[in-house]
Amino acid sequence: MAAACELIDQTGTDAFSMRTLARRLETSTATIYRHVTGMEELRILVVDRLLGEVLASAAGRPPPGTWQEAARTELLLFHDALSRHPNLLGLFASEVPIGPNGLAVRERTITRLLEFGFPVSLAARAYTTLAHYVIGFLAPQHAPDAPGPRQAAALRRYYLALDPAEYPSTVAAADALTTVSHDDEFLEGLQFILDGIDTALARGGD
Amino acid sequence: MAAACELIDQTGTDAFSMRTLARRLETSTATIYRHVTGMEELRILVVDRLLGEVLASAAGRPPPGTWQEAARTELLLFHDALSRHPNLLGLFASEVPIGPNGLAVRERTITRLLEFGFPVSLAARAYTTLAHYVIGFLAPQHAPDAPGPRQAAALRRYYLALDPAEYPSTVAAADALTTVSHDDEFLEGLQFILDGIDTALARGGD
DNA sequence: ACCTGAACACCGTTCAAGT
DNA sequence: ACCTGAACACCGTTCAAGT
């Protein structure tokens, strides 16, 4: 798993294959099949390894003062771990992570919400919504050879070059759509969701 | 593009390749390269074709009464189009869709928000957050041979079989996490975001 | 008991050679 | 001008054969 993570970190998802991994481990592809059932399990285990980092990075933190703080911290830890391993992003789109570390992260987040008095059903819906947001936010970033800011600048130029008669709103919003920093955009979108959950909580959380 | 969409609809993303497409079109792969630059452009064009369906399905609808209604309608049209072509889901994770139909859908959604008095910056942030949510919500669904409900039932059994001492919150929330219908879950998560945007709008939308 | 070369059935992409 | 067979450099996965 360590070798697989390193390989993806260094060369990207596309160059990662059973064969390149076997070469790095100085063994053969057939030997890898003695440890995992196939490519799919390999990817699941790599994802779970990253979630292990998320789990570890939370150790020793002071307990959160509010549920919003708790939720924001959880999401930011996940966001930060993926920032350290941007090439792993593409692995998250396909499945609900249910490896040991995935379970532990989900358990911790839901527990935090319940501790702050959330009804179980609201905690569950809040959790899944937040999880969907963070996946959706991070998924497009892993486009090959898109180092982020450069892509945003290109997108901005593309929007600004559109015919303002046909696309008035897009042209007007070009800056707002593209020049907000990655981290700020993440936090601002997150705040919408947290405020919406707050509204539901105030209503009684049914 | 029609052949490519059909092929993916019928056989899934995995079985879709230059070779299978060429076979269906009764031509050779090299001929396809006379019309598109490669696999990536092909995927972008297929995505844009689906967004064309989204655009068309909105024609002739009555104008929305509130901005929440407008936003919900836009997102539901997108959601419905993907429900008709679940196998196309996997194509959405990788890039911001900027084909002609992608541009038109974005333009229409942002325009609606501006018409209801949104400041440009809030409209842009609302749009990107909603887009990220819908992508993140739909992305995991396209797992191969996962027909949805069956997978949810399996996930529920998996959660319920966990050690309640180690995963108390996950076990307690197992039902809430897995038995809500796909559509309801989508709408409930969406409502969090809409309420959060409402809060920002009431604050003045800065 | 553990490992692996070689094979099988695939990929995306290119290009010299045909019509 | 348009099309394509065949090639190139790859895949994931399997298994008979070796140590």
Side-chain angles (χ1 to χ4, degrees):
Chain A
M1 289 315 106
C5 276
E6 262 180 42
L7 187 57
I8 298 175
D9 278 344
Q10 289 165 15
T11 65
T13 308
D14 288 355
F16 173 71
S17 71
M18 284 292 189
R19 286 165 143 94
T20 53
L21 180 60
R23 214 171 299 145
R24 166 164 298 226
L25 290 169
E26 289 179 5
T27 179
S28 78
T29 56
T31 302
I32 297 175
Y33 281 84
R34 297 191 56 79
H35 299 91
V36 297
T37 62
M39 199 58 176
E40 196 183 322
E41 184 179 326
L42 198 53
R43 273 199 273 257
I44 288 174
L45 290 172
V46 170
V47 163
D48 207 63
R49 203 185 135 86
L50 181 87
L51 291 171
E53 270 191 42
V54 175
L55 210 57
S57 66
R61 287 184 165 261
T66 67
W67 75 263
Q68 288 217 5
E69 204 181 301
R72 191 163 20 237
T73 300
E74 292 292 333
L75 276 275
L76 273 178
L77 290 175
F78 183 67
H79 178 266
D80 292 350
L82 275 176
S83 299
R84 288 193 298 274
H85 304 279
N87 286 337
L88 292 184
L89 257 170
L91 304 184
F92 273 87
S94 43
E95 277 191 57
V96 179
I98 52 167
N101 292 318
L103 281 177
V105 169
R106 180 172 17 252
E107 173 68 20
R108 192 177 61 192
T109 306
I110 297 175
T111 298
R112 286 280 149 83
L113 296 177
L114 295 178
E115 284 169 354
F116 280 100
F118 274 58
V120 169
S121 65
L122 183 60
R125 283 184 290 147
Y127 175 78
T128 55
T129 304
L130 291 168
H132 289 144
Y133 168 69
V134 72
I135 295 296
F137 183 84
L138 296 167
Q141 251 74 30
H142 87 104
D145 69 310
R150 208 185 307 168
Q151 199 199 16
L155 195 57
R156 178 172 173 275
R157 280 194 302 278
Y158 183 78
Y159 285 156
L160 288 174
L162 293 169
D163 178 5
E166 197 176 354
Y167 301 106
S169 305
T170 304
V171 173
D175 277 319
L177 284 168
T178 58
T179 58
V180 177
S181 91
H182 186 75
D183 291 359
D184 286 350
E185 192 184 339
F186 179 74
L187 287 170
E188 287 169 5
L190 179 57
Q191 193 58 48
F192 288 146
I193 302 178
L194 296 179
D195 285 343
I197 295 170
D198 223 14
T199 302
L201 190 61
R203 270 190 211 124
D206 69 331
Chain B
M1 290 313 107
C5 276
E6 262 179 44
L7 187 57
I8 298 175
D9 277 345
Q10 290 165 14
T11 66
T13 308
D14 287 355
F16 173 71
S17 70
M18 284 292 188
R19 287 167 143 93
T20 52
L21 180 60
R23 214 170 298 145
R24 167 164 297 225
L25 291 168
E26 288 179 6
T27 180
S28 78
T29 55
T31 303
I32 296 176
Y33 281 84
R34 296 191 57 79
H35 299 91
V36 296
T37 62
M39 198 58 176
E40 195 184 322
E41 184 178 326
L42 198 53
R43 273 199 273 256
I44 289 173
L45 290 172
V46 170
V47 164
D48 208 62
R49 203 184 134 87
L50 180 85
L51 291 171
E53 270 191 43
V54 175
L55 210 56
S57 66
R61 287 184 166 263
T66 66
W67 75 262
Q68 288 217 5
E69 204 182 300
R72 192 166 16 237
T73 300
E74 292 290 335
L75 276 276
L76 272 178
L77 290 175
F78 183 66
H79 177 266
D80 292 350
L82 274 177
S83 298
R84 288 192 298 275
H85 304 280
N87 287 337
L88 292 183
L89 256 169
L91 304 184
F92 273 86
S94 45
E95 276 191 57
V96 179
I98 53 169
N101 291 320
L103 281 176
V105 169
R106 180 172 17 251
E107 173 69 19
R108 190 177 61 192
T109 306
I110 297 175
T111 299
R112 286 281 149 84
L113 296 177
L114 295 177
E115 284 168 356
F116 281 99
F118 274 58
V120 169
S121 66
L122 183 60
R125 283 183 290 147
Y127 175 79
T128 56
T129 303
L130 291 168
H132 289 144
Y133 169 69
V134 72
I135 295 295
F137 183 84
L138 296 169
Q141 251 73 30
H142 87 104
D145 69 312
R150 208 184 309 168
Q151 200 198 16
L155 196 58
R156 177 170 174 275
R157 281 194 302 277
Y158 183 77
Y159 285 155
L160 287 174
L162 292 170
D163 178 5
E166 196 177 355
Y167 301 105
S169 305
T170 304
V171 173
D175 277 319
L177 284 168
T178 58
T179 58
V180 177
S181 91
H182 186 76
D183 290 359
D184 286 349
E185 192 185 340
F186 179 74
L187 287 170
E188 288 169 4
L190 179 57
Q191 194 57 47
F192 288 147
I193 302 177
L194 296 178
D195 285 343
I197 295 169
D198 224 15
T199 302
L201 190 62
R203 270 190 211 123
D206 69 331

